[in-house]
Amino acid sequence: MILRFLLFLCALANSSVHTCPRQCSCSFAEVECGDIATMTSFPVDALPSNTTVLSIWSTQISSLEASHLNTLPFLNKLNLYSNKLEKLPSDLLRNASWLSSLDLTGNQIVRLPPGVFSQKSLRNLVLKNNRIEQTDAEWFDDDSNLIWLDLSGNRLSEIPVNLFQKLKHLEHLDVSDNNLADLHPDALKNLYHLDILNLAGNKLSTLTPTAFSHNQKLSRLFLQENHFRELPPSLLLGPQNLQMLLLNQNQLQHLPAGLLDGRNSSFQLILSANPWLCDSKMEYLWRWLNEHSQNVFYLEEVTCAGPEPLKNRQVVSLSESELGLVR
């Protein structure tokens, strides 16, 4: 590996930039081609052979082949934002042995073939804002080294259990702004290194008590803008070191006793825009908010939706008698 890296550095040092695609800009090992409405095909013939970072955005490019990358043996980062790509070949990364980051944000991809992301060097993959309806475990090899996966802004209605079995090194997972109505109890079971999980902007209404029990390294969890009406008391027992939890813009009326217990002083929480019902079942959250007000963003927006006499009152401002706790 060390020898290979030294050869790589030597090749870069000895390579000279003789060409640059028309309307693009080229600096040492980096090429940018942006906002070019007349570009309809990948500029394969004019790219410097020593390119390590290639960014092409806002063009009319609709297809990409493995052969297009053959002339870029040292390519490490490929950004293809907001183009017209609809599909990718299964052998796309066959010879891209140095590629560690691939960003395909804002294209028109609906389906992807098996093996398309099987390159072992790939560590960061962004498929944000496409039209993907289904994920497939066969996109990846069994020994994938992926640590970052962004599938946000697509049309996913479910996540197959076997998808993440091949992504055991994953640290960042974003599936926000899809159509997920359910999360299989074992969907995240093999993600022992998961640090950031974004499930915001879906249609989730419930989670199993063990949904995150295997994700003990989870530090940030985004559950806002879903349809949650209640949460299991043991939901956060797995990720004991959770630093941030967003639950705003759901349908929560109460939080179960014990849900937020054991959080450290740096824990951050957002609870606004929920229809909190300020009755005796609010006791746990009311006491927690009063004891940990410094941990809550937008505390003043955590207000009662009912009963009518308490409507729009800040939860922390209530008394025991108003909550019906005085016996």
Side-chain angles (χ1 to χ4, degrees):
M1 178 61 73
I2 295 176
L3 178 60
R4 187 183 182 200
F5 182 67
L6 291 174
L7 291 173
F8 166 67
L9 292 178
C10 290
L12 283 181
N14 294 327
S15 295
S16 58
V17 178
H18 297 293
T19 61
C20 186
R22 189 169 60 89
Q23 296 180 290
C24 300
S25 63
C26 300
S27 59
F28 177 74
E30 294 191 19
V31 179
E32 292 190 4
C33 307
D35 200 18
I36 307 174
T38 56
M39 182 176 284
T40 59
S41 60
F42 195 84
V44 60
D45 294 331
L47 289 170
S49 61
N50 67 335
T51 301
T52 61
V53 179
L54 174 60
S55 300
I56 300 176
W57 72 92
S58 298
T59 74
Q60 299 298 311
I61 295 176
S62 60
S63 64
L64 183 64
E65 302 296 334
S67 59
H68 294 160
L69 305 182
N70 289 347
T71 59
L72 305 173
F74 307 118
L75 189 63
N76 179 258
K77 187 173 184 179
L78 178 59
N79 301 318
L80 297 170
Y81 320 126
S82 303
N83 295 293
K84 303 295 183 181
L85 295 172
E86 297 181 2
K87 59 183 180 178
L88 300 175
S90 59
D91 64 346
L92 175 65
L93 306 182
R94 178 184 58 202
N95 296 316
S97 58
W98 286 96
L99 191 70
S100 67
S101 179
L102 176 60
D103 193 331
L104 294 160
T105 296
N107 282 280
Q108 300 173 10
I109 300 169
V110 176
R111 292 182 179 84
L112 290 163
V116 63
F117 304 124
S118 60
Q119 180 53 256
K120 293 181 180 180
S121 62
L122 190 64
R123 295 176 65 81
N124 302 292
L125 175 61
V126 181
L127 295 166
K128 180 178 181 178
N129 293 346
N130 276 276
R131 302 174 183 179
I132 300 171
E133 299 176 351
Q134 292 182 327
T135 58
D136 189 346
E138 297 305 313
W139 291 350
F140 307 99
D141 277 346
D142 291 336
D143 55 352
S144 172
N145 290 309
L146 207 68
I147 61 171
W148 184 296
L149 177 59
D150 188 342
L151 285 161
S152 62
N154 280 284
R155 302 174 180 179
L156 302 176
S157 58
E158 63 178 350
I159 298 176
V161 177
N162 63 347
L163 176 64
F164 302 124
Q165 291 179 353
K166 296 183 175 183
L167 305 179
K168 58 185 178 181
H169 301 293
L170 205 62
E171 297 176 6
H172 180 116
L173 174 60
D174 191 340
V175 287
S176 61
D177 299 321
N178 277 281
N179 297 315
L180 301 177
D182 187 36
L183 185 67
H184 191 280
D186 294 328
L188 308 174
K189 184 177 180 179
N190 294 304
L191 302 184
Y192 299 107
H193 299 283
L194 193 63
D195 178 43
I196 300 172
L197 174 60
N198 194 341
L199 293 167
N202 281 287
K203 299 177 180 178
L204 297 169
S205 59
T206 184
L207 290 169
T208 62
T210 58
F212 311 125
S213 61
H214 299 277
N215 314 125
Q216 297 183 10
K217 293 186 177 181
L218 195 63
S219 69
R220 282 174 280 182
L221 177 58
F222 302 97
L223 297 175
Q224 73 271 27
E225 299 178 48
N226 276 285
H227 299 165
F228 293 116
R229 292 182 177 274
E230 58 182 10
L231 297 171
S234 60
L235 183 66
L236 304 179
L237 287 181
Q240 279 293 307
N241 295 315
L242 195 66
Q243 299 295 308
M244 177 176 286
L245 174 63
L246 271 60
L247 288 170
N248 48 298
Q249 293 179 259
N250 277 285
Q251 297 299 316
L252 296 167
Q253 293 186 322
H254 305 100
L255 286 188
L259 179 70
L260 303 174
D261 288 2
R263 302 301 122 184
N264 60 39
S265 59
S266 62
F267 177 65
Q268 299 173 329
L269 177 67
I270 300 181
L271 295 167
S272 54
N274 279 286
W276 301 111
L277 182 58
C278 295
D279 55 15
S280 59
K281 293 181 180 179
M282 180 61 75
E283 179 178 8
Y284 172 74
L285 179 57
W286 173 72
R287 293 192 186 279
W288 195 94
L289 290 176
N290 276 283
E291 293 173 7
H292 303 89
S293 59
Q294 72 279 3
N295 298 94
V296 184
F297 286 119
Y298 313 113
L299 180 63
E300 70 281 359
E301 297 180 18
V302 184
T303 58
C304 304
E308 191 61 33
L310 300 178
K311 191 172 182 179
N312 298 324
R313 285 279 303 278
Q314 292 182 22
V315 172
V316 291
S317 72
L318 302 176
S319 66
E320 287 187 329
S321 61
E322 287 176 313
L323 287 172
L325 301 178
V326 177
R327 295 174 177 83

